[in-house]
mmCIF file of all heavy atoms in Angstrom:
data_model
loop_
_atom_site.group_PDB
_atom_site.id
_atom_site.type_symbol
_atom_site.label_atom_id
_atom_site.label_comp_id
_atom_site.label_asym_id
_atom_site.label_seq_id
_atom_site.Cartn_x
_atom_site.Cartn_y
_atom_site.Cartn_z
ATOM 1 N N LYS A 42 38.744 109.974 223.588
ATOM 2 C CA LYS A 42 39.660 108.987 224.167
ATOM 3 C C LYS A 42 39.469 107.590 223.570
ATOM 4 O O LYS A 42 40.410 106.802 223.485
ATOM 5 C CB LYS A 42 39.465 108.926 225.690
ATOM 6 C CG LYS A 42 39.961 110.149 226.430
ATOM 7 C CD LYS A 42 39.731 110.010 227.930
ATOM 8 C CE LYS A 42 40.258 111.231 228.680
ATOM 9 N NZ LYS A 42 39.984 111.152 230.146
ATOM 10 N N ALA A 43 38.232 107.290 223.152
ATOM 11 C CA ALA A 43 37.917 105.950 222.631
ATOM 12 C C ALA A 43 38.380 105.745 221.195
ATOM 13 O O ALA A 43 38.337 104.622 220.685
ATOM 14 C CB ALA A 43 36.419 105.696 222.727
ATOM 15 N N GLY A 44 38.801 106.827 220.527
ATOM 16 C CA GLY A 44 39.308 106.669 219.176
ATOM 17 C C GLY A 44 38.372 107.116 218.071
ATOM 18 O O GLY A 44 38.580 106.762 216.902
ATOM 19 N N ALA A 45 37.339 107.893 218.407
ATOM 20 C CA ALA A 45 36.493 108.462 217.354
ATOM 21 C C ALA A 45 37.354 109.328 216.449
ATOM 22 O O ALA A 45 38.314 109.959 216.897
ATOM 23 C CB ALA A 45 35.370 109.289 217.965
ATOM 24 N N ASP A 46 37.033 109.357 215.173
ATOM 25 C CA ASP A 46 37.834 110.134 214.226
ATOM 26 C C ASP A 46 37.439 111.600 214.221
ATOM 27 O O ASP A 46 38.272 112.480 213.986
ATOM 28 C CB ASP A 46 37.675 109.554 212.813
ATOM 29 C CG ASP A 46 38.190 108.134 212.742
ATOM 30 O OD1 ASP A 46 39.378 107.927 213.045
ATOM 31 O OD2 ASP A 46 37.406 107.233 212.409
ATOM 32 N N GLU A 47 36.179 111.865 214.449
ATOM 33 C CA GLU A 47 35.674 113.225 214.518
ATOM 34 C C GLU A 47 34.475 113.242 215.458
ATOM 35 O O GLU A 47 33.984 112.183 215.863
ATOM 36 C CB GLU A 47 35.248 113.743 213.131
ATOM 37 C CG GLU A 47 36.384 113.814 212.127
ATOM 38 C CD GLU A 47 35.978 114.445 210.803
ATOM 39 O OE1 GLU A 47 34.915 115.108 210.765
ATOM 40 O OE2 GLU A 47 36.711 114.269 209.817
ATOM 41 N N LEU A 48 34.019 114.444 215.763
ATOM 42 C CA LEU A 48 32.832 114.602 216.599
ATOM 43 C C LEU A 48 31.932 115.642 215.957
ATOM 44 O O LEU A 48 32.406 116.664 215.457
ATOM 45 C CB LEU A 48 33.234 115.060 218.004
ATOM 46 C CG LEU A 48 32.120 115.159 219.052
ATOM 47 C CD1 LEU A 48 31.612 113.767 219.421
ATOM 48 C CD2 LEU A 48 32.631 115.882 220.302
ATOM 49 N N VAL A 49 30.620 115.365 215.936
ATOM 50 C CA VAL A 49 29.646 116.337 215.426
ATOM 51 C C VAL A 49 28.726 116.749 216.573
ATOM 52 O O VAL A 49 28.234 115.904 217.317
ATOM 53 C CB VAL A 49 28.823 115.744 214.267
ATOM 54 C CG1 VAL A 49 27.652 116.659 213.918
ATOM 55 C CG2 VAL A 49 29.707 115.542 213.041
ATOM 56 N N PHE A 50 28.527 118.035 216.704
ATOM 57 C CA PHE A 50 27.684 118.626 217.754
ATOM 58 C C PHE A 50 26.573 119.387 217.055
ATOM 59 O O PHE A 50 26.842 120.340 216.313
ATOM 60 C CB PHE A 50 28.564 119.566 218.592
ATOM 61 C CG PHE A 50 27.855 120.402 219.624
ATOM 62 C CD1 PHE A 50 28.024 120.136 220.972
ATOM 63 C CD2 PHE A 50 27.062 121.484 219.269
ATOM 64 C CE1 PHE A 50 27.405 120.938 221.933
ATOM 65 C CE2 PHE A 50 26.434 122.284 220.211
ATOM 66 C CZ PHE A 50 26.611 121.996 221.547
ATOM 67 N N LEU A 51 25.328 118.958 217.218
ATOM 68 C CA LEU A 51 24.197 119.616 216.569
ATOM 69 C C LEU A 51 23.203 120.112 217.618
ATOM 70 O O LEU A 51 22.645 119.325 218.374
ATOM 71 C CB LEU A 51 23.486 118.648 215.616
ATOM 72 C CG LEU A 51 24.325 118.093 214.454
ATOM 73 C CD1 LEU A 51 23.512 117.083 213.664
ATOM 74 C CD2 LEU A 51 24.814 119.218 213.547
ATOM 75 N N ASP A 52 23.009 121.428 217.651
ATOM 76 C CA ASP A 52 21.975 121.999 218.507
ATOM 77 C C ASP A 52 20.667 121.833 217.739
ATOM 78 O O ASP A 52 20.311 122.651 216.899
ATOM 79 C CB ASP A 52 22.288 123.472 218.776
ATOM 80 C CG ASP A 52 21.415 124.060 219.870
ATOM 81 O OD1 ASP A 52 20.364 123.451 220.170
ATOM 82 O OD2 ASP A 52 21.768 125.108 220.418
ATOM 83 N N ILE A 53 19.947 120.744 218.018
ATOM 84 C CA ILE A 53 18.903 120.273 217.106
ATOM 85 C C ILE A 53 17.637 121.118 217.085
ATOM 86 O O ILE A 53 16.825 120.982 216.173
ATOM 87 C CB ILE A 53 18.529 118.804 217.392
ATOM 88 C CG1 ILE A 53 18.004 118.660 218.827
ATOM 89 C CG2 ILE A 53 19.707 117.904 217.132
ATOM 90 C CD1 ILE A 53 17.419 117.295 219.104
ATOM 91 N N THR A 54 17.449 121.985 218.074
ATOM 92 C CA THR A 54 16.247 122.824 218.049
ATOM 93 C C THR A 54 16.567 124.290 217.778
ATOM 94 O O THR A 54 15.682 125.131 217.808
ATOM 95 C CB THR A 54 15.454 122.703 219.365
ATOM 96 O OG1 THR A 54 16.316 123.043 220.457
ATOM 97 C CG2 THR A 54 14.909 121.306 219.548
ATOM 98 N N ALA A 55 17.847 124.577 217.481
ATOM 99 C CA ALA A 55 18.218 125.979 217.276
ATOM 100 C C ALA A 55 17.491 126.592 216.090
ATOM 101 O O ALA A 55 16.978 127.713 216.180
ATOM 102 C CB ALA A 55 19.737 126.097 217.087
ATOM 103 N N SER A 56 17.422 125.868 214.962
ATOM 104 C CA SER A 56 16.750 126.433 213.782
ATOM 105 C C SER A 56 15.254 126.558 214.025
ATOM 106 O O SER A 56 14.620 127.548 213.664
ATOM 107 C CB SER A 56 17.014 125.552 212.554
ATOM 108 O OG SER A 56 18.367 125.608 212.193
ATOM 109 N N PHE A 57 14.676 125.539 214.650
ATOM 110 C CA PHE A 57 13.236 125.540 214.900
ATOM 111 C C PHE A 57 12.844 126.648 215.876
ATOM 112 O O PHE A 57 11.848 127.337 215.702
ATOM 113 C CB PHE A 57 12.813 124.179 215.444
ATOM 114 C CG PHE A 57 11.364 124.105 215.850
ATOM 115 C CD1 PHE A 57 10.355 124.283 214.916
ATOM 116 C CD2 PHE A 57 11.004 123.852 217.165
ATOM 117 C CE1 PHE A 57 9.013 124.225 215.289
ATOM 118 C CE2 PHE A 57 9.674 123.792 217.538
ATOM 119 C CZ PHE A 57 8.681 123.978 216.590
ATOM 120 N N GLU A 58 13.650 126.839 216.916
ATOM 121 C CA GLU A 58 13.325 127.815 217.947
ATOM 122 C C GLU A 58 13.859 129.205 217.624
ATOM 123 O O GLU A 58 13.578 130.168 218.339
ATOM 124 C CB GLU A 58 13.874 127.341 219.298
ATOM 125 C CG GLU A 58 13.215 126.050 219.777
ATOM 126 C CD GLU A 58 13.848 125.491 221.036
ATOM 127 O OE1 GLU A 58 14.823 126.095 221.521
ATOM 128 O OE2 GLU A 58 13.367 124.456 221.522
ATOM 129 N N GLY A 59 14.644 129.309 216.556
ATOM 130 C CA GLY A 59 15.131 130.606 216.131
ATOM 131 C C GLY A 59 16.145 131.222 217.058
ATOM 132 O O GLY A 59 16.179 132.426 217.258
ATOM 133 N N ARG A 60 17.033 130.398 217.655
ATOM 134 C CA ARG A 60 18.057 130.961 218.525
ATOM 135 C C ARG A 60 19.435 130.459 218.104
ATOM 136 O O ARG A 60 19.566 129.678 217.192
ATOM 137 C CB ARG A 60 17.797 130.564 219.990
ATOM 138 C CG ARG A 60 17.771 129.075 220.194
ATOM 139 C CD ARG A 60 17.529 128.693 221.641
ATOM 140 N NE ARG A 60 17.237 127.284 221.751
ATOM 141 C CZ ARG A 60 18.138 126.318 221.658
ATOM 142 N NH1 ARG A 60 19.389 126.618 221.440
ATOM 143 N NH2 ARG A 60 17.801 125.066 221.757
ATOM 144 N N LYS A 61 20.456 130.918 218.774
ATOM 145 C CA LYS A 61 21.821 130.593 218.404
ATOM 146 C C LYS A 61 22.322 129.368 219.176
ATOM 147 O O LYS A 61 21.888 129.080 220.286
ATOM 148 C CB LYS A 61 22.749 131.778 218.698
ATOM 149 C CG LYS A 61 22.310 133.084 218.073
ATOM 150 C CD LYS A 61 22.300 133.021 216.543
ATOM 151 C CE LYS A 61 22.027 134.383 215.951
ATOM 152 N NZ LYS A 61 21.927 134.363 214.498
ATOM 153 N N THR A 62 23.287 128.678 218.559
ATOM 154 C CA THR A 62 23.957 127.586 219.257
ATOM 155 C C THR A 62 24.727 128.155 220.444
ATOM 156 O O THR A 62 25.274 129.240 220.377
ATOM 157 C CB THR A 62 24.929 126.869 218.304
ATOM 158 O OG1 THR A 62 24.206 126.389 217.188
ATOM 159 C CG2 THR A 62 25.612 125.697 219.001
ATOM 160 N N PHE A 63 24.770 127.397 221.536
ATOM 161 C CA PHE A 63 25.453 127.873 222.731
ATOM 162 C C PHE A 63 26.971 127.794 222.563
ATOM 163 O O PHE A 63 27.558 126.725 222.627
ATOM 164 C CB PHE A 63 25.018 127.044 223.943
ATOM 165 C CG PHE A 63 23.583 127.255 224.331
ATOM 166 C CD1 PHE A 63 22.711 126.188 224.433
ATOM 167 C CD2 PHE A 63 23.103 128.527 224.610
ATOM 168 C CE1 PHE A 63 21.385 126.371 224.804
ATOM 169 C CE2 PHE A 63 21.781 128.725 224.982
ATOM 170 C CZ PHE A 63 20.919 127.652 225.065
ATOM 171 N N ALA A 64 27.585 128.952 222.384
ATOM 172 C CA ALA A 64 29.021 128.997 222.130
ATOM 173 C C ALA A 64 29.827 128.500 223.328
ATOM 174 O O ALA A 64 30.881 127.885 223.165
ATOM 175 C CB ALA A 64 29.448 130.414 221.766
ATOM 176 N N ASP A 65 29.339 128.752 224.543
ATOM 177 C CA ASP A 65 30.121 128.334 225.710
ATOM 178 C C ASP A 65 30.215 126.817 225.804
ATOM 179 O O ASP A 65 31.259 126.268 226.177
ATOM 180 C CB ASP A 65 29.545 128.920 227.003
ATOM 181 C CG ASP A 65 28.115 128.503 227.271
ATOM 182 O OD1 ASP A 65 27.408 128.129 226.304
ATOM 183 O OD2 ASP A 65 27.696 128.545 228.443
ATOM 184 N N MET A 66 29.150 126.124 225.420
ATOM 185 C CA MET A 66 29.203 124.662 225.447
ATOM 186 C C MET A 66 30.134 124.135 224.362
ATOM 187 O O MET A 66 30.870 123.170 224.566
ATOM 188 C CB MET A 66 27.816 124.053 225.286
ATOM 189 C CG MET A 66 27.828 122.527 225.373
ATOM 190 S SD MET A 66 26.189 121.819 225.318
ATOM 191 C CE MET A 66 25.514 122.446 226.856
ATOM 192 N N VAL A 67 30.118 124.775 223.211
ATOM 193 C CA VAL A 67 31.051 124.403 222.145
ATOM 194 C C VAL A 67 32.482 124.524 222.647
ATOM 195 O O VAL A 67 33.315 123.634 222.438
ATOM 196 C CB VAL A 67 30.833 125.302 220.904
ATOM 197 C CG1 VAL A 67 31.930 125.078 219.873
ATOM 198 C CG2 VAL A 67 29.466 125.024 220.287
ATOM 199 N N THR A 68 32.762 125.613 223.327
ATOM 200 C CA THR A 68 34.116 125.812 223.864
ATOM 201 C C THR A 68 34.485 124.729 224.863
ATOM 202 O O THR A 68 35.600 124.189 224.835
ATOM 203 C CB THR A 68 34.216 127.199 224.540
ATOM 204 O OG1 THR A 68 33.990 128.208 223.559
ATOM 205 C CG2 THR A 68 35.585 127.400 225.166
ATOM 206 N N ARG A 69 33.554 124.385 225.741
ATOM 207 C CA ARG A 69 33.850 123.360 226.749
ATOM 208 C C ARG A 69 34.088 121.992 226.111
ATOM 209 O O ARG A 69 34.947 121.240 226.536
ATOM 210 C CB ARG A 69 32.725 123.284 227.781
ATOM 211 C CG ARG A 69 32.732 124.475 228.734
ATOM 212 C CD ARG A 69 31.800 124.273 229.905
ATOM 213 N NE ARG A 69 30.404 124.297 229.486
ATOM 214 C CZ ARG A 69 29.521 123.332 229.754
ATOM 215 N NH1 ARG A 69 29.893 122.257 230.419
ATOM 216 N NH2 ARG A 69 28.272 123.438 229.359
ATOM 217 N N VAL A 70 33.328 121.675 225.060
ATOM 218 C CA VAL A 70 33.566 120.416 224.356
ATOM 219 C C VAL A 70 34.934 120.449 223.674
ATOM 220 O O VAL A 70 35.738 119.518 223.794
ATOM 221 C CB VAL A 70 32.454 120.141 223.316
ATOM 222 C CG1 VAL A 70 32.803 118.920 222.469
ATOM 223 C CG2 VAL A 70 31.112 119.923 224.007
ATOM 224 N N ALA A 71 35.213 121.548 222.958
ATOM 225 C CA ALA A 71 36.473 121.661 222.213
ATOM 226 C C ALA A 71 37.687 121.548 223.126
ATOM 227 O O ALA A 71 38.716 120.969 222.744
ATOM 228 C CB ALA A 71 36.508 122.988 221.456
ATOM 229 N N GLU A 72 37.575 122.070 224.328
ATOM 230 C CA GLU A 72 38.699 122.031 225.272
ATOM 231 C C GLU A 72 38.980 120.620 225.788
ATOM 232 O O GLU A 72 40.060 120.361 226.322
ATOM 233 C CB GLU A 72 38.405 122.952 226.461
ATOM 234 C CG GLU A 72 38.486 124.428 226.120
ATOM 235 C CD GLU A 72 38.022 125.324 227.255
ATOM 236 O OE1 GLU A 72 37.407 124.818 228.225
ATOM 237 O OE2 GLU A 72 38.266 126.536 227.172
ATOM 238 N N ASN A 73 38.029 119.718 225.613
ATOM 239 C CA ASN A 73 38.168 118.379 226.173
ATOM 240 C C ASN A 73 38.365 117.286 225.130
ATOM 241 O O ASN A 73 38.350 116.105 225.464
ATOM 242 C CB ASN A 73 36.934 118.046 227.014
ATOM 243 C CG ASN A 73 36.972 118.712 228.377
ATOM 244 O OD1 ASN A 73 37.596 118.228 229.306
ATOM 245 N ND2 ASN A 73 36.307 119.861 228.481
ATOM 246 N N ILE A 74 38.551 117.674 223.866
ATOM 247 C CA ILE A 74 38.765 116.676 222.816
ATOM 248 C C ILE A 74 39.989 117.040 221.997
ATOM 249 O O ILE A 74 40.449 118.181 222.023
ATOM 250 C CB ILE A 74 37.539 116.544 221.888
ATOM 251 C CG1 ILE A 74 37.306 117.838 221.098
ATOM 252 C CG2 ILE A 74 36.295 116.161 222.692
ATOM 253 C CD1 ILE A 74 36.177 117.742 220.081
ATOM 254 N N ASN A 75 40.523 116.056 221.276
ATOM 255 C CA ASN A 75 41.681 116.316 220.421
ATOM 256 C C ASN A 75 41.455 115.747 219.023
ATOM 257 O O ASN A 75 42.377 115.257 218.374
ATOM 258 C CB ASN A 75 42.955 115.740 221.040
ATOM 259 C CG ASN A 75 42.875 114.235 221.222
ATOM 260 O OD1 ASN A 75 41.838 113.624 220.959
ATOM 261 N ND2 ASN A 75 43.969 113.627 221.656
ATOM 262 N N ILE A 76 40.199 115.798 218.575
ATOM 263 C CA ILE A 76 39.826 115.331 217.246
ATOM 264 C C ILE A 76 39.022 116.436 216.553
ATOM 265 O O ILE A 76 38.496 117.319 217.223
ATOM 266 C CB ILE A 76 38.992 114.028 217.313
ATOM 267 C CG1 ILE A 76 37.786 114.209 218.246
ATOM 268 C CG2 ILE A 76 39.851 112.842 217.734
ATOM 269 C CD1 ILE A 76 36.864 112.995 218.331
ATOM 270 N N PRO A 77 38.931 116.414 215.232
ATOM 271 C CA PRO A 77 38.159 117.440 214.525
ATOM 272 C C PRO A 77 36.717 117.497 215.017
ATOM 273 O O PRO A 77 36.097 116.471 215.300
ATOM 274 C CB PRO A 77 38.235 116.992 213.067
ATOM 275 C CG PRO A 77 39.520 116.242 212.979
ATOM 276 C CD PRO A 77 39.644 115.524 214.293
ATOM 277 N N PHE A 78 36.183 118.704 215.070
ATOM 278 C CA PHE A 78 34.920 118.977 215.739
ATOM 279 C C PHE A 78 34.041 119.818 214.819
ATOM 280 O O PHE A 78 34.404 120.935 214.449
ATOM 281 C CB PHE A 78 35.250 119.719 217.041
ATOM 282 C CG PHE A 78 34.086 120.076 217.922
ATOM 283 C CD1 PHE A 78 32.935 119.312 217.955
ATOM 284 C CD2 PHE A 78 34.167 121.190 218.754
ATOM 285 C CE1 PHE A 78 31.873 119.650 218.785
ATOM 286 C CE2 PHE A 78 33.123 121.536 219.587
ATOM 287 C CZ PHE A 78 31.976 120.767 219.600
#
Side-chain angles (χ1 to χ4, degrees):
K42 289 180 179 177
D46 297 302
E47 298 185 16
L48 185 69
V49 170
F50 173 110
L51 299 176
D52 191 342
I53 60 171
T54 56
S56 293
F57 175 63
E58 296 174 358
R60 59 179 168 76
K61 306 297 187 183
T62 302
F63 292 125
D65 60 337
M66 183 175 294
V67 171
T68 298
R69 287 191 291 126
V70 173
E72 288 173 347
N73 282 278
I74 65 175
N75 61 356
I76 53 177
F78 181 30

